[in-house]
Amino acid sequence: MSFQNPVFIPGPTNIPESLRRACDMPTIDHRSPLFGEILHPARAGVQKVLKSESAEIFVFPSTGTGGWETALTNTLSPGDTVLAARNGMFSHRWIDMCQRHGLTVEIVETPWGEGLPADRYADILKRDTNRTIKAVLATHNETATGVRSDIAAVRRALDDAGHPALLFVDGVSSIASMDFRFDEWGVDIAVTGSQKGFMLPPGLAIVGFSEKAMTATRTATLPRTFFDVHDMAKGYANNAYPYTPAVGLLNGLNQACAMLLAEGLDNVFARHHRIAEGVRAAVAAWGLELCAVSPDVHSDTVSAIRTPEGFNANDIVAHAAQTYGVAFGVGLGEVAGKVFRIGHLGSLTDVMILSGIATAEMCMADLGLDIELGSGVAAAQDHYRANPAAAHKAAA
Ligand SMILES: *Cc1c(COP(=O)(O)O)cnc(C)c1O
């Protein structure tokens, strides 16, 4: 594997040089006002990236998975029921975590490649007149299938039923890359990590809690220690953590937020959309199809590309690594071997993604697929030339 080439996996993503430097810092006292000068602006930055005025932001030394656990254990009690759709590997894993914590999960089985069925959520919530369901789980962007769901529609399903359940959103592969509106969508807990849209190394779970979610923490009885938000809040009040924080990563997070906000969130989202559209143009030129069933669910952060029947899509990923030193994502779970994934989120330019598209073409041709070299590259080039980037500001 080459350290020179960018990665095209949907996280961890490429790290801009300035953020690598921000994470690399000398030791400071992590219980001091100096630490507070990193911690508090980082949390304020995350709040802005979530488009929230009032969400309480907590950052744990962990990953997105720890963010899921933070959401569940701080707000729910053993035996509580949650509603969740399973439409890919990440929604599946969150459901599995709920079950391991002794929660009852009302699972809406959904074909992989489709978005969350908000209409089915609506029916179930309307029928739940006893208000048994305490939380609704929604994976905003299913990274396994490259499918983006409509969170506003899930909020409407709750509101139309007049249902008081909390709304938890996994935004691990959408936040800071695709439009996310914590306040407007009435999100109660948003979950993400450091290594995707924030362009940092892995190591942080980043969560936002609404006031309603904070209220739920007072009666929730699932066991929690490391991920207890009240212990964390007490630490924050003293410029500290209940334990040792990942100071360098937090410094990186502060810088990452500043970088995203300086570019402008809408520009960040538009950049991801442009780049994604180029990838999709390439896929169409190859005569291949996305796992995502329709354009309204196309993800702007990752494309899962179906390969022909009888071909093992994992071979593309292995061959790219061995022969060209380039990383693509394998298929997960139900679509293992059937799709390979091109991650296109975080710090990425037209030039970088064109090299990824070119490499995918070489791999497919090497492995005997009927792909004309240059066809996908040309389609993407046409798209990028017709839709020039707003500015050539390399994220560096
Ligand atoms: C990456 C990812 C996760 C898991 O995050 P980790 O940081 O690997 O724990 C969860 N959900 C989605 C949608 C993801 O893309």
Side-chain angles (χ1 to χ4, degrees), residues 10 63-66 68 90 139 141-143 170 172-173 195-196:
T63 68
T65 305
W68 286 343
F90 292 92
T139 301
N141 189 69
E142 217 345 311
T143 318
D170 173 344
V172 180
S173 62
Q195 79 277 21
K196 296 190 183 176

Side-chain angles (χ1 to χ4, degrees), residues 8 40 50 67 77 125 140 166 215 226 281 297 318 323 344 366-367:
F8 300 100
H40 302 304
L50 294 181
S77 301
L125 290 165
H140 186 202
L166 296 160
T215 302
F226 188 83
V297 297
T323 310
H344 35 79
D366 292 349
L367 295 169

Side-chain angles (χ1 to χ4, degrees), residues 5-30:
N5 294 328
V7 293
F8 300 100
I9 49 177
T13 61
N14 300 294
I15 307 172
E17 207 45 45
S18 61
L19 295 186
R20 277 183 51 185
R21 282 196 293 266
C23 294
D24 179 4
M25 59 178 289
T27 301
I28 62 164
D29 178 0
H30 62 283

